[in-house]
Amino acid sequence: DQQVKQNSPSLSVQEGRISILNCDYTNSMFDYFLWYKKYPAEGPTFLISISSIKDKNEDGRFTVFLNKSAKHLSLHIVPSQPGDSAVYFCAARSGGTSYGKLTFGQGTILTVHP
Amino acid sequence: EPEVTQTPSHQVTQMGQEVILRCVPISNHLYFYWYRQILGQKVEFLVSFYNNEISEKSEIFDDQFSVERPDGSNFTLKIRSTKLEDSAMYFCASSGLFANEQFFGPGTRLTVL
């Protein structure tokens, strides 16, 4: 299932700089997109989301951008902090219902160096 | 802050045995889900559950799997006869009415020997 793809397995960033994590999707029926952060031996933690009718959503240091024509979304973290080091998953919801299933990308390992 | 809890954190079982994985969703949530992640692979959807019935299930969720909400707080996933390939992290999630975000529990690591 390649409907949601995160092409970068890992990203390394210096503390204080911007982290940009990318995600591509193929299914035009996806109506809602979410980013989750995951530490080892823990479940995914919800970070930020965006509806398909918007192109940007911001929450503190985290901003998600959606480019529907390119079927691409990105998560910007600025400034990056060492505590942001984790695996980041992009997920997309289908079905147009509140309880639609999520389809996940493979994840990107972010390492923020002090 | 309310959270989804799961027990046990790790379950080891013999092939062919039945296992029940337990979850307590966030108390006012109405939609419940199970996902799993095989080591090195993506998190994949198994089943969603609303109003005491399955809303959607994936191809993985065959007759060996079942879900139940036995009381007002627990949500369980049963695997009737485990296979080696069922070894994975199993995540429970829940979401509220009209809410778009799903909140995940810490997971149960299932090891089938």
Side-chain angles (χ1 to χ4, degrees):
Chain A
D1 179 359
Q2 295 294 308
Q3 294 188 75
V4 179
K5 288 183 74 171
Q6 293 175 254
N7 289 314
S8 298
S10 63
L11 175 68
S12 184
V13 169
Q14 206 66 32
E15 181 179 6
R17 308 294 283 266
I18 186 170
S19 296
I20 300 176
L21 298 115
N22 294 301
C23 179
D24 296 296
Y25 63 95
T26 58
N27 188 343
S28 301
M29 299 304 293
F30 289 143
D31 67 336
Y32 204 80
F33 302 90
L34 307 91
W35 284 94
Y36 286 86
K37 174 179 174 180
K38 186 179 180 303
Y39 294 115
E42 294 185 13
T45 300
F46 169 71
L47 207 52
I48 192 169
S49 58
I50 188 166
S51 164
S52 61
I53 63 173
K54 296 189 173 182
D55 55 19
K56 178 182 173 181
N57 187 27
E58 192 171 348
D59 183 3
R61 296 185 298 114
F62 303 92
T63 304
V64 55
F65 295 93
L66 175 61
N67 182 334
K68 278 188 72 175
S69 59
K71 293 191 174 68
H72 176 84
L73 63 154
S74 60
L75 173 67
H76 292 212
I77 307 173
V78 57
S80 302
Q81 299 172 354
D84 296 330
S85 298
V87 182
Y88 287 78
F89 291 98
C90 164
R93 188 187 71 187
S94 54
T97 60
S98 296
Y99 51 84
K101 70 177 186 183
L102 297 181
T103 301
F104 281 82
Q106 305 95 313
T108 297
I109 302 170
L110 173 65
T111 304
V112 180
H113 298 283
Chain B
E1 186 174 322
E3 58 184 18
V4 177
T5 59
Q6 290 184 243
T7 54
S9 56
H10 191 188
Q11 174 89 48
V12 181
T13 189
Q14 294 291 324
M15 190 170 54
Q17 295 295 304
E18 175 183 287
V19 293
I20 298 176
L21 309 183
R22 302 179 193 281
C23 168
V24 178
I26 294 173
S27 64
N28 60 347
H29 282 184
L30 297 176
Y31 302 109
F32 313 114
Y33 314 82
W34 284 101
Y35 292 81
R36 77 174 186 189
Q37 185 179 28
I38 294 171
L39 189 64
Q41 297 186 22
K42 292 185 179 185
V43 176
E44 49 189 355
F45 169 80
L46 292 177
V47 65
S48 58
F49 189 87
Y50 169 69
N51 201 25
N52 277 322
E53 59 183 32
I54 290 174
S55 308
E56 186 177 1
K57 59 184 180 179
S58 72
E59 295 165 355
I60 304 164
F61 195 89
D62 61 22
D63 291 343
Q64 292 300 312
F65 291 87
S66 62
V67 288
E68 195 178 31
R69 187 150 162 84
D71 52 43
S73 59
N74 290 283
F75 179 51
T76 62
L77 173 70
K78 182 194 289 186
I79 310 175
R80 277 183 249 289
S81 177
T82 50
K83 308 186 194 73
L84 294 176
E85 54 264 37
D86 293 328
S87 295
M89 280 292 289
Y90 287 80
F91 295 108
C92 173
S94 68
S95 60
L97 190 64
F98 306 124
N100 295 304
E101 295 78 23
Q102 295 178 21
F103 294 88
F104 284 74
T108 292
R109 177 171 298 284
L110 176 65
T111 302
V112 182
L113 302 175

